[in-house]
Amino acid sequence: MTSTTPAGAPGGRRLFISYARPDSESVLRLVEVFKALRHTPWLDRELETEGGKPWWDRILTEIEACDAIVIVLSPELFDSVPAQREREYAAELGKPPLPVMVEPVTPDILPPDLSNRQFVDFTQADPLAGAKLASALTGLPCAPPLPDPMPKRPDVPSSYLGDLRDRVRAAVLSLDEQVGLITELRIRLDLERERQAVVTLLRELQRRRDLCHAAWQILDPLLRDVSGEPSEVPSPGPESQKDPAALSTSASAQQEPTTPESGLPPAGWYPDPSGRHQLRWFWNGCWTSQASDNGKVINDPNF
């Protein structure tokens, strides 16, 4: 098989590093130790901008060409679908695994393919850990020839956030689907490594023209809280007693919210918070189903 990576140094091994993105800093320290031991580690970092099938094919090619797969153990590893598929494919090819722990992991929660294996503790990254790595690599068996026929290559993994993104961009979303998405994304906000991507998806969901009022009532205060804004409806000026249908679109759209002493917005037409229509009637502290486009008042049953 043609290789895209130079052969390892004499006596060294060609190592494929399987890891979770949050562990990148620890992995780089690990790579330096492998190089000092005259092995040739391979990381996928330079491929991160390629994306799609070519990126994944390159990874599988490197697994096929390696002498051993280094599995970087941490709690984050078990959330990584790509890392799981890398391990499974390497096992099918008979590549010797070397588990290396960079963050404390309870052995009882390791997946079956790792629970019965000895691992090297690299949580301290000190000279003793380096000596243990050298010893473990020396004790690894040689990789067998590639099987013939080759097993089917695993499909390109889609990330969990990628799945959520596709759902946010679906052509149609029911109220239950909108609320479900908000709930799932809100849980992911607690993960620092995903927070910015989750906020982006929440704002994309907020811009949907079919966003229902019940979903907006959950989403708007959530995004205000994330951005540090007050979680309340903007308050307009003095209360108006005009009939909603009598207000023109142009005049209503120019209203700017102010804060009355009561703290409650008065009845009136304001830009539709769901984005589905130009204006929406606000009355008695609540958005109503009455909407307006180009001066025509309609009933929006999904709000």
Side-chain angles (χ1 to χ4, degrees), residues 1-302:
M1 175 172 292
T2 302
S3 172
T4 55
T5 301
R13 299 203 187 202
R14 184 170 173 166
L15 306 173
F16 180 89
I17 313 295
S18 180
Y19 66 104
R21 290 291 175 274
D23 299 321
S24 295
E25 185 176 339
S26 298
V27 169
L28 291 178
R29 290 196 296 267
L30 186 61
V31 163
E32 291 305 312
V33 174
F34 284 137
K35 289 180 178 179
L37 295 172
R38 300 186 62 77
H39 298 287
T40 305
W42 187 86
L43 283 176
D44 63 352
R45 292 188 66 199
E46 65 267 31
L47 304 179
E48 290 178 354
T49 58
E50 294 184 13
K53 191 172 185 297
W55 170 82
W56 183 240
D57 282 346
R58 172 71 184 278
I59 284 179
L60 298 182
T61 297
E62 293 297 334
I63 294 175
E64 293 163 355
C66 75
D67 298 313
I69 177 171
V70 177
I71 302 165
V72 181
L73 296 179
S74 75
E76 286 76 14
L77 181 71
F78 311 121
D79 291 329
S80 172
V81 175
Q84 178 182 344
R85 294 193 182 179
E86 291 165 359
R87 295 198 312 272
E88 292 172 349
Y89 189 55
E92 288 187 87
L93 300 178
K95 302 295 182 179
L98 175 60
V100 179
M101 185 171 66
V102 297
E103 294 291 339
V105 176
T106 303
D108 294 341
I109 66 171
L110 291 174
D113 60 313
L114 296 174
S115 60
N116 60 349
R117 295 188 179 277
Q118 295 292 324
F119 58 83
V120 177
D121 187 342
F122 196 73
T123 54
Q124 299 300 322
D126 54 20
L128 179 58
K132 290 179 179 178
L133 273 179
S135 176
L137 283 166
T138 301
L140 278 182
C142 294
L146 292 175
D148 186 15
M150 289 282 285
K152 180 182 179 299
R153 282 183 158 191
D155 294 332
V156 180
S158 59
S159 69
Y160 181 76
L161 282 178
D163 292 338
L164 288 173
R165 178 200 59 215
D166 292 342
R167 289 163 58 193
V168 166
R169 296 177 180 177
V172 178
L173 285 176
S174 67
L175 171 59
D176 287 344
E177 289 170 330
Q178 292 174 16
V179 173
L181 274 169
I182 295 170
T183 301
E184 291 185 60
L185 288 166
R186 180 163 52 186
I187 293 172
R188 312 297 290 189
L189 278 173
D190 293 334
L191 302 175
E192 186 61 35
R193 64 184 184 276
E194 296 180 3
R195 185 178 178 86
Q196 188 54 54
V198 168
V199 171
T200 299
L201 289 178
L202 287 170
R203 295 197 183 283
E204 188 170 335
L205 182 61
Q206 187 184 43
R207 291 193 295 269
R208 287 185 64 103
R209 290 186 63 81
D210 62 349
L211 186 69
C212 297
H213 184 220
W216 177 83
Q217 286 181 307
I218 302 171
L219 183 54
D220 184 67
L222 175 62
L223 283 172
R224 287 176 177 274
D225 182 61
V226 168
S227 60
E229 299 176 18
S231 24
E232 59 183 3
V233 179
S235 303
E239 182 170 351
S240 170
Q241 301 298 326
K242 295 181 180 179
D243 185 340
L247 293 175
S248 68
T249 300
S250 59
S252 303
Q254 294 174 357
Q255 288 183 324
E256 293 293 332
T258 58
T259 305
E261 293 181 359
S262 65
L264 292 175
W269 289 100
Y270 305 104
D272 185 359
S274 74
R276 289 205 303 277
H277 302 283
Q278 291 176 335
L279 302 172
R280 187 167 295 276
W281 182 248
F282 190 87
W283 181 77
N284 199 25
C286 296
W287 296 103
T288 71
S289 63
Q290 286 183 293
S292 174
D293 289 310
N294 299 318
K296 181 181 179 181
V297 177
I298 61 173
N299 185 53
D300 182 3
N302 294 322

